[in-house]
Amino acid sequence: MTKKSSRSQQLDEAQRESRKEILRKRREAEQKRRIRLAVGGVVGLLLLVFLVAVINEVFVAPNRAVATVNGEAVTVRQFQDRVEYERAQRIISLENQFDAFGGDVGIIQQFSSQTIIELQDAEVLAESVLTQMTQEVLIRQEAEARGITVSDAEVDAEIGSFFNYYDGGLPTPLPTATATVQPTPSLTPIPTAVITDVLPTSTPLPTPTLGPTLEPQPTATAVSKESFDEQLGGIITDFKNLGVNEAVFRDVVRLNLYADKLMEALGEENNVPTEAMQASIFLLTFDTQADADEAMAMIEAGDFLTVWNTIRSTPADPNTPATATASELLWRTQDALTTSFGEDVANVAFTLPPNVPSTPIEHAVDDTTTKFYILEVSGREVRPLSEAVIQNAKQTLLQNLITEKSVTGVEILEVWRNYYPSRPVLDTKFLAQPTATPALPDLVVTPAEGQ
């Protein structure tokens, strides 16, 4: 019984050990399973985060708005593409200057310092570009609201005109110049030594006469298609080498055409004048009230044109304290005179009867400078405005429209600061210190023989 009982105990212990081993293995297996699940969960979570990041970077972020214009979004992709285009355009310009000036960085830094500064401060340039983009969207929206469109053919023609290529044709000729009334000629300067002997008083001004028809401006020489393709291809290649797509270049051209067309439409809507009342004046300018009063006394004792011609004919003398100058301004609008000489001078020029001198007019140029003027009107009539003046008026209308619509229609979102690119990068050669001019060697003077 004792032996049997001992064997039974050994068997029971073996069975218990076996069960313990089984339980241990089960626990280890469960632990491993849990570890695998945990690791798999972490890996899965990391993959999910990575996948979300990729989706956000590739699909979501590029379409995120950095600004809205009347509900229309300016997306991250559009913003980044345009900033890269603007940076590339500046870099290409600097590279062209580098070649033109034989690699003289000093000259480039002197004349294009602002461009270099813009490329170095990526955030400031990006903000400026974003503001410009919102204005362009406003312009396109306003143009489209008026039924204005820009076709691909118009974009092609505009690009061609940059290179004087007109698809086998010629550029649009400038308007033929027509005969115009010649302005009153200035008085012939009289030598100082004989002024008092030959100048009469109150000499009548000559009657204006029709001048000859002006010669037409020369027509730009049209280039061949081969030459155009070569030049355009070179620019597109430069852009591609800097990571810029040709489509962005074409979009910028299209937006500029929208602006031009809207500007013309605004000119028609607001009846921008093509002619205006203009005046020609003889003008005396003084730095001090005393000089103006002295000249006024001379005018009252004689006449304005004598004094004007005397001052005009007298050579400048740095040893004399006189500050008087005499000039003739031909056919200026009231706005132009206001811009140059102040409102008081312009009002006098357009109200004073011809051939009657004004009293001295004081004008504060700035906080530290004051000028004094005496003028006499030599002519006043309605005349055609220059094309530059007409275009400036249209440009002002366009800018006023943008300013007005931007107040309520444009929202720039701060998130743009997370997405502005700093590429393409400016070559460091443009930041190098210019080579200093070598100092001239000291000259050694050798005495001549006998000295």
Side-chain angles (χ1 to χ4, degrees):
M1 292 292 296
T2 303
K3 291 182 179 179
K4 190 175 184 180
S5 176
S6 177
R7 273 199 210 97
S8 178
Q9 288 177 355
Q10 291 176 356
L11 183 60
D12 291 341
E13 289 177 1
Q15 289 175 344
R16 282 195 298 270
E17 289 294 328
S18 179
R19 284 196 297 270
K20 288 180 180 180
E21 184 67 21
I22 292 171
L23 291 174
R24 185 180 63 78
K25 289 181 178 180
R26 286 179 179 176
R27 284 195 300 270
E28 289 178 353
E30 181 64 19
Q31 290 173 349
K32 290 179 180 180
R33 186 181 70 83
R34 290 179 179 177
I35 291 172
R36 285 196 296 269
L37 288 175
V39 172
V42 172
V43 172
L45 181 61
L46 292 175
L47 288 174
L48 180 60
V49 170
F50 176 75
L51 183 60
V52 170
V54 170
I55 293 173
N56 179 70
E57 186 69 23
V58 177
F59 299 102
V60 178
N63 295 310
R64 188 175 183 180
V66 292
T68 59
V69 183
N70 295 319
E72 180 179 340
V74 177
T75 67
V76 169
R77 178 181 286 111
Q78 293 170 332
F79 171 55
Q80 291 179 333
D81 286 348
R82 181 59 179 275
V83 173
E84 290 173 2
Y85 167 82
E86 295 292 342
R87 293 184 64 86
Q89 190 178 49
R90 287 161 172 78
I91 289 173
I92 291 171
S93 174
L94 290 174
E95 292 289 353
N96 290 339
Q97 292 178 43
F98 187 83
D99 293 338
F101 294 125
D104 192 330
V105 174
I107 295 179
I108 299 172
Q109 291 174 342
Q110 180 180 356
F111 292 101
S112 300
S113 60
Q114 184 59 39
T115 300
I116 295 173
I117 292 172
E118 287 176 342
L119 289 166
Q120 287 182 280
D121 197 333
E123 183 174 1
V124 171
L125 177 58
E127 184 173 16
S128 174
V129 171
L130 182 56
T131 300
Q132 181 180 346
M133 292 180 71
T134 60
Q135 293 177 354
E136 289 170 346
V137 174
L138 273 175
I139 289 172
R140 177 177 53 76
Q141 290 175 345
E142 290 295 321
E144 290 175 345
R146 291 166 170 78
I148 296 172
T149 60
V150 176
S151 67
D152 290 342
E154 288 175 308
V155 173
D156 291 336
E158 183 70 6
I159 294 174
S161 70
F162 297 160
F163 305 93
N164 289 334
Y165 173 68
Y166 303 96
D167 196 17
L170 294 174
T172 303
L174 296 173
T176 302
T178 55
T180 58
V181 176
Q182 296 289 359
T184 303
S186 9
L187 300 178
T188 303
I190 299 174
T192 305
V194 295
I195 285 177
T196 55
D197 297 330
V198 299
L199 265 182
T201 59
S202 303
T203 303
L205 299 174
T207 303
T209 55
L210 284 177
T213 301
L214 300 177
E215 292 294 329
Q217 295 294 324
T219 302
T221 302
V223 303
S224 66
K225 187 176 188 310
E226 291 74 15
S227 176
F228 164 66
D229 289 340
E230 181 181 353
Q231 294 180 68
L232 178 60
I235 289 180
I236 298 304
T237 298
D238 288 341
F239 277 129
K240 287 183 177 178
N241 290 339
L242 293 172
V244 176
N245 193 293
E246 179 182 356
V248 182
F249 168 64
R250 293 181 61 85
D251 284 343
V252 172
V253 175
R254 187 183 302 273
L255 291 167
N256 288 336
L257 287 173
Y258 269 116
D260 291 342
K261 288 189 173 186
L262 178 59
M263 194 166 63
E264 293 303 316
L266 291 173
E268 294 179 5
E269 292 172 13
N270 292 272
N271 296 317
V272 171
T274 58
E275 59 182 17
M277 181 67 72
Q278 300 178 50
S280 287
I281 63 174
F282 294 105
L283 185 68
L284 294 174
T285 305
F286 309 91
D287 290 345
T288 67
Q289 178 76 59
D291 285 343
D293 291 341
E294 181 182 355
M296 194 70 225
M298 295 171 61
I299 291 170
E300 291 172 347
D303 67 88
F304 177 88
L305 294 179
T306 300
V307 176
W308 183 92
N309 208 29
T310 300
I311 294 174
R312 180 70 173 265
S313 303
T314 302
D317 185 354
N319 298 319
T320 61
T323 63
T325 58
S327 57
E328 182 183 22
L329 307 177
L330 299 175
W331 305 123
R332 306 294 175 88
T333 64
Q334 189 163 353
D335 287 342
L337 288 177
T338 300
T339 301
S340 300
F341 304 100
E343 187 175 355
D344 290 340
V345 171
N347 288 339
V348 170
F350 279 82
T351 56
L352 189 71
N355 307 322
V356 176
S358 72
T359 57
I361 306 166
E362 182 178 351
H363 171 58
V365 178
D366 52 41
D367 294 338
T368 59
T369 306
T370 300
K371 295 288 186 180
F372 299 87
Y373 302 103
I374 301 174
L375 65 87
E376 184 171 290
V377 178
S378 60
R380 196 161 50 229
E381 63 185 55
V382 175
R383 295 175 62 85
L385 294 169
S386 69
E387 187 61 28
V389 171
I390 296 172
Q391 289 303 112
N392 284 340
K394 294 176 182 178
Q395 183 66 47
T396 299
L397 290 172
L398 179 62
Q399 191 56 54
N400 290 343
L401 178 66
I402 292 172
T403 302
E404 175 191 348
K405 297 294 182 179
S406 296
V407 174
T408 57
V410 174
E411 181 182 9
I412 295 179
L413 308 175
E414 280 299 307
V415 71
W416 72 266
R417 299 185 189 277
N418 300 329
Y419 293 103
Y420 68 85
S422 56
R423 60 183 186 276
V425 178
L426 177 65
D427 195 309
T428 55
K429 67 188 178 187
F430 294 105
L431 308 178
Q433 291 294 328
T435 304
T437 303
L440 295 175
D442 294 334
L443 296 178
V444 178
V445 180
T446 302
E449 291 186 7
Q451 293 184 351

